[in-house]
Amino acid sequence: MFNRITYASIDEVTVPIESASWNHKRLIALVVITSTLFVTLGSRSPAVSVFPKKTITGLATTQVRDCSFEECFASSCDARTAPFICQRFQGGPHGGCSASPWVEGTCDDSCNLEVCESLSIPADTESCLGVQCGEEWCDNGQMCGDSAPYQCQVGSARFGCAGDYYQWTLKTASAVCSDCCDVTTC
């Protein structure tokens, strides 16, 4: 009348487990297939690509132009880690930085910042060299040392010191520093 229920202990249960070598083979196959697809199709992300210095245009590729002097120094991108800057996208300014060329459809006009270090700075470019600090600044300002005599006076970098006389003019946005002087004039 009553059915008896019997429980099995863990020692009595047998679960088939695939061999370690079979799992290892499946993992290797998955890695090979994924790598092959990535290299063959490329990346859809503008930050990661296997196509250096070129953009994808269907099956053809086009070279990315070098940035101009103005583009080089207006950019806040790091030319060593993200040298490809998108200047315009969908008719408006963009300014995005990328470690690899922009994929077609993600940027309308881009350039390569790697050429920037080789460009000559024109002699008439504004700098802090020889700019008078003013008596009040010389008397009350935080003075920079001899190795960094160029000091920012206005902006978020106020009191900042630099050894490069273009640091606060050409190489920095005006919101960061809009006025500088040469403390050797004090």
Side-chain angles (χ1 to χ4, degrees), residues 8 13 16 19-21 49-50 55 78 97 116 142 152 159 168 180 182 184:
V13 177
S19 71
S21 64
S49 179
V50 292
T55 56
D78 184 339
C97 310
C116 296
Q142 176 182 340
C152 178
F159 299 116
W168 305 123
C180 64
D182 182 344
T184 62

Side-chain angles (χ1 to χ4, degrees), residues 10-33:
I10 193 71
D11 296 331
E12 297 172 330
V13 177
T14 306
V15 178
I17 298 176
E18 297 173 348
S19 71
S21 64
W22 175 248
N23 283 335
H24 183 71
K25 289 176 187 176
R26 286 186 5 195
L27 178 63
I28 290 173
L30 180 63
V31 169
V32 169
I33 291 169

Side-chain angles (χ1 to χ4, degrees), residues 47 73 105 117 120 147 150 158:
F73 291 100
E117 288 186 20
S120 298
S147 63
Y150 309 106
R158 184 176 178 166

Side-chain angles (χ1 to χ4, degrees), residues 24-171:
H24 183 71
K25 289 176 187 176
R26 286 186 5 195
L27 178 63
I28 290 173
L30 180 63
V31 169
V32 169
I33 291 169
T34 304
S35 299
T36 304
L37 285 174
F38 182 75
V39 171
T40 304
L41 299 177
S43 172
R44 297 285 184 213
S45 167
V48 181
S49 179
V50 292
F51 302 100
K53 297 187 183 181
K54 296 184 179 191
T55 56
I56 301 171
T57 309
L59 297 176
T61 57
T62 56
Q63 287 292 102
V64 175
R65 68 178 175 81
D66 289 337
C67 291
S68 68
F69 178 83
E70 291 78 16
E71 290 169 326
C72 285
F73 291 100
S75 171
S76 59
C77 299
D78 184 339
R80 289 171 296 211
T81 59
F84 300 97
I85 180 169
C86 180
Q87 297 292 21
R88 300 190 71 71
F89 181 59
Q90 295 181 344
H94 189 272
C97 310
S98 176
S100 60
W102 294 87
V103 176
E104 185 178 321
T106 61
C107 182
D108 299 330
D109 179 29
S110 65
C111 65
N112 185 346
L113 293 168
E114 292 174 326
V115 68
C116 296
E117 288 186 20
S118 66
L119 297 177
S120 298
I121 298 173
D124 63 346
T125 302
E126 183 183 5
S127 76
C128 301
L129 181 63
V131 175
Q132 296 289 321
C133 290
E135 190 175 324
E136 185 179 336
W137 188 268
C138 290
D139 291 341
N140 301 319
Q142 176 182 340
M143 303 300 285
C144 298
D146 291 339
S147 63
Y150 309 106
Q151 190 162 26
C152 178
Q153 294 179 298
V154 178
S156 61
R158 184 176 178 166
F159 299 116
C161 302
D164 180 350
Y165 48 85
Y166 290 117
Q167 182 61 45
W168 305 123
T169 57
L170 179 63
K171 298 179 178 179

